[in-house]
Amino acid sequence: LRTTVTIEHPRTILSRNQSPDIPFDRSLNAYRGCEHGCIYCYARPTHAFHDLSPGLDFESRLFAKPTAPALLRAELAKRGYQCAPIAMGTNTDPYQPIERTYRTMRAILEVLSAANHPVGIVTKSALVQRDIDILGPMAERGLAKVAISVTTLDPALARKMEPRAASPERRLDTIEKLAQAGIPTGVMVAPVIPSINDEEIETILTRAHARGAREAGYIALRLPHEARDLFAEWLVEHFPGKARHVLSLVRDMREGKLYDAAFGKRMSGTGPYAWMIGRRFEIALEKIGFARTRTRLRADLFTPPARQGQQLSLFQL
């Protein structure tokens, strides 16, 4: 696909949430749409807000926000700003291929590092290795951690599901490089797709732990709005013999529906199948030796950037 990029000029850059399902209350997305082309991506319906298709347009007609670093700096400098970790990679991947050109993510990290502001990153791209020189020192100060999304270890399946994302082996290599740099590194088995990649849970966790991952999480397949039909069409094309069975198991986890947005259900699902996945995951974490608690990032070191027009101190303490 030929990728086109439209420059977007948002007025604000941080998104807030009050969801009890996720461990952060603010996030930042430097791009809309994602070149990785993951068929299961729950962010696809957001392109419909721009009168674009959640299908090929989501993968090829992208929006970049080059003013994001400046907007972030202004946000952090506001009076009364309360510091808490910013999550990146929650909607679209901050290290998707166009980041090589725009380098917006790197500039954002430079702003966060200068302000001693904590950040948590989720990505499936090996490009995050480029910024180890920033993330490493931030991690030493307790300000950064990274989770690498590993959906499958099967290169053929990965090519079908995530056609322009890093290969499974490259992601494992990225886990190793980040861990070697002293950056707290985790693995996200996400999404868990019934009868497609669920059998790989223990293998993914084992391989990731061997390469240095010490935290782990999973998310059950989420198919909001247009993502449902797109995924169903993909199943029929690539797995015609089991498409009906896969969708049946998804409905088993979603109380008869293909998606349930209710808090407490949307990430892990409900019912016997969802319970089984959860127990398998917990047992594997215990057996393999993953950390029982997650790395807590520091917020007490935060130093707000100087506001525009603010006179800087002539003295250093």
Side-chain angles (χ1 to χ4, degrees):
L1 293 175
R2 179 176 177 269
T3 298
T4 62
V5 181
T6 299
I7 300 302
E8 188 174 356
H9 297 282
R11 294 183 178 180
T12 60
I13 200 62
L14 290 182
S15 299
R16 309 276 181 164
N17 79 85
Q18 297 179 335
S19 171
D21 297 320
I22 49 181
F24 56 84
D25 66 357
R26 66 202 69 182
S27 59
L28 191 159
N29 291 285
Y31 303 105
R32 292 182 189 268
C34 187
E35 285 180 285
H36 286 159
C38 305
I39 188 59
Y40 50 73
C41 183
Y42 59 81
R44 283 181 176 273
T46 60
H47 248 47
F49 298 141
H50 298 275
D51 293 324
L52 297 172
S53 83
L56 292 181
D57 284 348
F58 179 81
E59 305 171 26
S60 60
R61 299 181 65 177
L62 310 180
F63 295 81
K65 308 173 188 177
T67 59
L71 289 171
L72 176 61
R73 190 178 189 281
E75 181 76 19
L76 302 186
K78 288 182 179 179
R79 296 182 186 276
Y81 175 81
Q82 297 295 315
C83 179
I86 293 174
M88 300 196 66
T90 59
N91 200 37
T92 57
D93 200 312
Y95 285 104
Q96 61 178 288
I98 59 171
E99 167 62 15
R100 295 183 185 278
T101 300
Y102 287 90
R103 299 174 68 86
T104 305
M105 181 62 180
R106 184 172 178 86
I108 287 170
L109 290 179
E110 290 171 343
V111 171
L112 295 174
S113 179
N116 285 321
H117 194 291
V119 62
I121 301 168
V122 178
T123 180
K124 53 171 59 76
S125 173
L127 183 56
V128 66
Q129 296 182 47
R130 179 201 64 188
D131 294 338
I132 284 177
D133 62 319
I134 301 177
L135 291 168
M138 288 185 72
E140 289 181 2
R141 306 196 300 276
L143 299 174
K145 63 179 181 178
V146 179
I148 301 298
S149 175
V150 181
T151 317
T152 179
L153 296 175
D154 179 350
L157 177 56
R159 181 65 63 184
K160 293 175 183 177
M161 288 199 303
E162 310 155 333
R164 288 169 295 282
S167 69
E169 194 59 39
R170 284 280 282 156
R171 296 184 217 181
L172 293 176
D173 181 65
T174 300
I175 289 174
E176 184 173 28
K177 294 295 193 301
L178 293 170
Q180 288 175 345
I183 300 165
T185 307
V187 59
M188 283 295 298
V189 186
V192 174
I193 306 174
S195 195
I196 297 294
N197 70 339
D198 54 347
E199 66 180 18
E200 296 188 68
I201 290 174
E202 290 83 358
T203 307
I204 291 172
L205 292 174
T206 300
R207 294 281 303 279
H209 187 272
R211 302 296 281 270
R214 292 297 177 264
E215 298 180 13
Y218 80 97
I219 298 176
L221 177 66
R222 300 168 58 191
L223 296 173
H225 308 299
E226 295 90 344
R228 304 167 193 172
D229 291 339
L230 288 167
F231 185 76
E233 291 173 5
W234 177 86
L235 276 176
V236 171
E237 178 182 356
H238 294 284
F239 298 95
K242 61 165 63 175
R244 183 175 298 181
H245 177 59
V246 172
L247 294 177
S248 175
L249 290 174
V250 173
R251 289 190 176 92
D252 183 66
M253 293 194 296
R254 303 295 182 187
E255 298 182 347
K257 298 173 286 186
L258 286 180
Y259 182 58
D260 187 349
F263 288 160
K265 300 179 181 179
R266 57 185 181 146
M267 297 298 186
S268 57
T270 59
Y273 190 84
W275 182 88
M276 180 188 69
I277 293 297
R279 300 299 77 71
R280 279 179 57 192
F281 203 85
E282 290 177 356
I283 292 170
L285 294 187
E286 180 73 21
K287 182 178 179 180
I288 297 168
F290 278 89
R292 296 187 178 184
T293 58
R294 306 211 169 195
T295 300
R296 294 182 61 87
L297 299 177
R298 298 184 63 176
D300 59 309
L301 301 178
F302 176 61
T303 304
R307 296 186 299 277
Q308 187 173 4
Q310 179 181 357
Q311 183 175 357
L312 299 178
S313 173
L314 296 177
F315 304 96
Q316 287 187 331
L317 298 180

